[in-house]
Amino acid sequence: MRLLTALHADDDAPDMIISDGVAVSRHELLERAAGLAARLRGAPIVAVHATPGLSTIVAVTAGLLAGVPVVPVPPDAGDLEREHILRDSGAELFLSDDPAVPGAPIAGVPPSSDIPEEPVPATPALVLYTSGTTGPPKGVVISRAAVAADLDALAGAWQWTAEDTLVHGLPLYHVHGLVLGVLGALRTGSRLVHTGRPTPSAYAGARGTLYFGVPTVWSRVVAEPAAAQALRGARLLVSGSAPLPGPVFDRLSELTGQSPVERYGMTETLITVSARADGPRRAGHVGLPLAGVRTRLVDESGAEVPPDGTTIGQLQVAGPTLLDGYLGHGPAPLADGWFDTGDVATIGPDGWHRIVGRASTDLIKTGGFRVGAGEVEDALLLHPAVTAAAVVGTPHDDLGQQITAYVIASGVAPDELIAFVAARLAAHKRPRVVHLVGDLPRNAMGKVQKSLLSGSQRHPGL
Ligand code: MCA
Ligand code: AMP
């Protein structure tokens, strides 16, 4: 059973993938990946230095062909984060073409026309590291079956076919950029133009039919009207990973002549809810469950709340796209097949979902990246001058939320602490603002009351 079905098609698409401005054909990608797959076979797991370019696409494809689960490592991960991912995943094989981060080579491996048989769908495809509210990131194990089910459901909802040219410049180590943005193209057969970075000018110049972006990308696109107008020829503009602000939805509709399709998901569940290509699009709403997905809202006692469009509840999802588990932490935390997303939502009588926010203040969404407050706090506490730290998300026009740290420390400047975190964790995890304070508000148990910190907010819905 093949996962990347379109990659094996008989006809050759001369420029199936364009990345770094370099075009590769379907056959060239398949044979390069098959050559690398021969070197991976038998490895329990492989880590990939996931730079935004062709080498990552070849390496991930090779892992999937060889049936070896792939752990993409953020290219800017600081030492602490990279060491954690490599140690926790047990990946002894690390592929990298970046001289600054040495690993086994990806480019230069001889191609092969010997295409391996793929394993059964229940086997793991990817282990994606993502932040929880506390501690270091955990590896979310995602099966080949989950990836296939999600991509097929999305292809149905978005009428995504081999006739499309998909354009995006998202990072290649998360669900959005990697699963949808690369594996989606290799399963549907659409061309892929990866722009390296998701800038308005790169999107405008790429002439795609289907565009993916996080809200920060769309907000930057509408700030450059000429770039937005250049997308008028596109078939579908898709936004996800964080709430799309209403004014950005409206402005994008005006400038491009079409309203964006919003969709909702999580690393643990893949994409579960979306507006459809052939249906309405509504600002502030993320649409209907995808084919095969079920959703429900529950209150704090676990009782279901009515889908009346106004009653707020915790969103739970069930279906074939859910994680297998967190690596080293047992199977997926499901109750009767339901996964608790931690998001708070309403569901209308017509089935339309609106994400209102998150139940916890400790998961921050900044530029579409999920950042756990605890991981940043732990990094700050490694600094010898720091005795306490509380990290929250505060509103930010461009990023949705920005990381703001309240720190008790002596003899250290805020900029030094930002640089200290940046050296250890990925760039988007460093605080933008550090407030040095004499005290932190605590409850009787000694726990910091983050809601009392100035500007602190749960990740906002609309
Ligand atoms: C950042 N900079 C800083 C600081 N933070 N400088 C000083 N102090 C700081 N605290 C630097 C950056 O390194 C950068 O420098 C410059 O400031 C601008 O940074 P930023 O504003 O963050 O913008 P950006 O680097 O242009 O990034 C914006 C972005 C990015 C491209 C939208 O956030 C992004 O790629 N987001 C996508 C996230 C994503 O794919 N999420 C999907 C996961 P310099 O310019 O020199 O580099 S969610 C998912 O997978 C689920 C399932 C879903 O629903 O999709
Ligand atoms: P991650 O695991 O990084 O993919 O982050 C998942 C979280 O992103 C979800 O739990 C939501 O809080 C948020 N999210 C994803 N898509 C949307 C969306 N369209 N609107 C609002 N929040 C979203």
Side-chain angles (χ1 to χ4, degrees), residues 130 239-244 262-268 286 341 343 355 358 365 368 370 459:
T130 192
S239 180
S241 303
L244 184 69
E262 286 184 68
R263 95 295 180 285
Y264 159 84
M266 284 187 86
T267 306
E268 287 88 338
V286 294
T341 63
D343 288 306
I355 307 299
R358 276 202 74 82
K365 266 275 161 158
R370 166 170 150 187
H459 118 56

Side-chain angles (χ1 to χ4, degrees), residues 350-438:
D350 54 3
W352 272 67
H353 289 54
R354 187 168 71 92
I355 307 299
V356 177
R358 276 202 74 82
S360 164
T361 49
D362 284 330
L363 277 189
I364 300 163
K365 266 275 161 158
T366 179
F369 286 113
R370 166 170 150 187
V371 180
E375 189 185 4
V376 184
E377 288 159 3
D378 289 348
L380 285 163
L381 286 167
L382 291 175
H383 194 287
V386 173
T387 51
V391 166
V392 293
T394 56
H396 189 279
D397 280 347
D398 180 42
L399 300 170
Q401 289 186 298
Q402 70 175 356
I403 300 176
T404 300
Y406 290 80
V407 178
I408 303 178
S410 55
V412 65
D415 281 355
E416 284 174 64
L417 292 176
I418 292 171
F420 184 81
V421 175
R424 285 159 181 78
L425 305 178
H428 60 269
K429 293 184 176 174
R430 70 191 127 160
R432 298 227 160 206
V433 182
V434 171
H435 298 291
L436 292 171
V437 293

